[in-house]
Amino acid sequence: MKRVAVLGATGSIGASALDVIARHPDRYAASVLSAHGRVDELVALCARHRPQHAVIAQPQHHAALREGLAAAGLATQAHAGGEALAALAGSDACDTVIAAIVGAAGIASTLAAARAGKRLLLANKESVVLAGELLLRACRQHGAELIPIDSEHNAIFQCLRGAPADLTQVSRLILTASGGPFLNRSRGELAAVTAEQACNHPNWKMGRKISVDSATLMNKGLEVIEAHWLFGMPAARIDVLVHPQSIVHSLVEHVDGSVLAQMGRPDMRTTLACGLAWPERVASGVAAPDLGTIGALTFQAPDRTTFACLDLAYAAIKAGGSAGATLNAANEVAVAAFLAGRIGFLDIPAIIRATLDAAEDLGAADLGSLLAADASARRAATARVEARA
Ligand code: NAD
Ligand code: MG
C-alpha cells in the first residue's frame, strides 16, 4: 500500500489525484491532505479520504481545522503553516508526494519531498522555474524519483521510458500547446479581454492562475524552462507547436528522424495515474481518445509576437542565474492583478519584461539567493501594477 500526500488537495490537480487514488483502495491511500485557507473543503475531503494528517497553510485557521475534524468525528491530526507542511512532506507519513500547490509557494514542500527521497509527482511547475537546478540536484542526491505531472513533460517522460534524455540520441523536444482561449486573435483583439474570458479554456479545466498562463502562452514558457531542467535539454533544442485538439501531449525527436508522441484525452487523471503506478499502469477513469471520431490532429507555429510571454521565458533561460525566479515572480504578481481586474491582459507581458530587464542577477547558488530574487521581483512588479492600475 502506497501512502500518498496530496499537497494542494482542494485544487484542480488535487481533485484529479484523489479521484484516481479512490479508484484503487488496494494500492493507494491518501495519508496527508493540504489546502491553503479553505478549512471546510479540506475537512470534507478528510471525511471522504480519511488521511492521517491534514494541513492548512494559513496558520490562523489551525483551530478551525482541529474543531472541524473533531466535529466530523475524524481521527485526522490537524496541522497548520508552511513548516508543518514541509515537515510532513518529508516525513514517513507518506511514500509519494503529489506537489500540486500553485505558485512559488510550493517550493519548500516540494524540496522537502525531494530531500527525503520520496516519489515526487511534480505538478507545481513554478518550483522548477524558480529553482530547477537546485531541485534536480536534491532529487539526485537523495534518490527521489521525480515524475512530471504536467501533461507535456509526462508525455516526454513516457516517450523516454522514464530514462534521462541522452543528448546524443534525442535531437529535440517538442512541447504542444493548445493555444488557449485566444488562439488566432490579434494583439488589438486582446487589449480588452476579461479574466472570465481568459479562464474559459477550450480543452482543460484548471485553476485560475494556470488558465491565465495558458491564455498568455506563459504556461508554455514556464514549461520550456521546466523541460530544460527536467530533461537537461538546451533551450535551442526545445520547440513549441500549437495543437488545438490537445490530444498529442508532446513529442520526442531522435537523431535518426524518428519521432515519438504520447496521446491521451485532456484529463490530468491519465497523467496522475501514470505517475502513481509507473512503470505499471492502472485505470484512471479516463477512456483513450477515439481518433476516428476526432478525425484530424492539426499543428501550427505559435504567434510569438502577439503572445510575447513565450519568448520572455526563452530569454530567462538564456540569462540564467536568478532570471527564472524573477520571471516566475513577476508573472505571479501580474496574473493576480489581471485576475483582480486591476490591469489589462497585455499589461502582463509588459510588466514581466520590464521586471526582467531591470532585475539584478542574484545567482542560483542557493535557495536564499533565488528567494531574494523572487521577493525583489514581486516588489518591482507590484510597483509596476500600481503604476498601471
Ligand atoms: P488550483 O488553484 O486549482 O489549486 C491550487 C491548490 O494549491 C489549492 O489546493 C490551494 O489551496 C493550494 N494553495 C494555493 N496557494 C497556496 C499557498 N500559498 N500555500 C499552500 N497551498 C496553497 O491550481 P491547479 O490548477 O490545481 O494547479 C496546481 C499546480 O499544478 C500549478 O502549479 C499548475 O501550474 C500545475 N498544473 C496544473 C494542471 C491542471 O490541469 N490544473 C496541469 C498541469 C500543471
Ligand atoms: Mg502543461
Side-chain angles (χ1 to χ4, degrees), residues 125 150-153 210 219-220 223:
K125 66 187 87 188
D150 210 344
S151 55
E152 298 76 5
H153 307 75
I210 184 177
N219 183 49
K220 216 46 54 180
E223 291 182 358

Side-chain angles (χ1 to χ4, degrees), residues 63-389:
L65 177 60
R66 201 184 310 112
E67 287 154 19
L69 291 168
L74 299 170
T76 305
Q77 289 178 40
H79 309 260
E83 278 178 29
L85 183 61
L88 277 165
S91 76
D92 50 18
C94 55
D95 318 289
T96 297
V97 173
I98 302 185
I101 288 173
V102 59
I107 186 66
S109 50
T110 300
L111 256 183
R115 288 177 176 149
K118 303 293 182 192
R119 172 172 284 208
L120 175 56
L121 270 51
L122 186 65
N124 176 228
K125 66 187 87 188
E126 294 90 350
S127 66
V128 189
V129 175
L130 169 71
E133 192 176 3
L134 212 109
L135 177 62
L136 271 286
R137 199 188 315 133
C139 287
R140 276 194 303 277
Q141 280 175 352
H142 300 280
E145 208 182 347
L146 195 164
I147 303 188
I149 301 297
D150 210 344
S151 55
E152 298 76 5
H153 307 75
N154 187 267
I156 292 168
F157 173 88
Q158 292 189 52
C159 291
L160 295 170
R161 294 173 297 277
D166 179 339
L167 296 189
T168 66
Q169 297 181 13
V170 174
S171 46
R172 247 178 0 140
L173 302 179
I174 304 163
L175 302 178
T176 53
S178 67
F182 304 139
L183 177 61
N184 298 327
R185 298 259 190 121
S186 67
R187 236 186 109 74
E189 290 169 324
L190 292 178
V193 296
T194 64
E196 286 325 302
Q197 291 171 315
C199 288
N200 187 19
H201 196 284
N203 304 343
W204 298 93
K205 231 192 135 321
M206 310 182 285
R208 287 169 74 78
K209 190 265 180 182
I210 184 177
S211 295
V212 175
D213 286 345
S214 299
T216 62
L217 276 203
M218 181 53 96
N219 183 49
K220 216 46 54 180
L222 300 178
E223 291 182 358
V224 169
I225 302 178
E226 188 184 7
H228 169 67
W229 291 118
L230 291 182
F231 304 111
M233 187 60 68
R237 285 158 66 176
I238 306 173
D239 278 348
V240 172
L241 260 187
V242 172
H243 165 50
Q245 297 82 20
S246 296
I247 297 294
V248 172
H249 293 311
S250 277
L251 309 98
V252 176
E253 183 187 282
H254 298 84
V255 290
D256 58 5
S258 177
V259 180
L260 295 186
Q262 183 266 346
M263 291 190 255
R265 287 184 198 263
D267 186 322
M268 291 305 291
R269 290 177 300 170
T270 298
T271 318
L272 285 152
C274 169
L276 283 165
W278 185 264
E280 294 174 24
R281 299 281 178 173
V282 296
S284 65
V286 184
D290 178 357
L291 295 176
T293 305
I294 295 164
L297 299 178
T298 62
F299 300 89
Q300 67 191 72
D303 174 354
R304 310 177 91 106
T305 315
T306 305
F307 298 94
C309 285
L310 181 57
D311 281 345
L312 292 176
Y314 278 95
I317 300 181
K318 192 159 180 226
S322 55
T326 301
L327 173 95
N328 180 65
N331 182 55
E332 286 191 31
V333 169
V335 169
F338 172 71
L339 282 171
R342 304 196 65 214
I343 59 170
F345 188 74
L346 294 175
D347 290 327
I348 299 173
I351 286 170
I352 299 165
R353 183 190 302 278
T355 306
L356 261 182
D357 285 349
E360 186 193 341
D361 180 22
L362 301 181
D366 52 55
L367 189 60
S369 312
L370 294 165
L371 292 178
D374 172 284
S376 161
R378 277 172 207 274
R379 281 192 300 274
T382 302
R384 291 192 167 87
V385 167
E386 299 306 332
R388 282 164 190 265

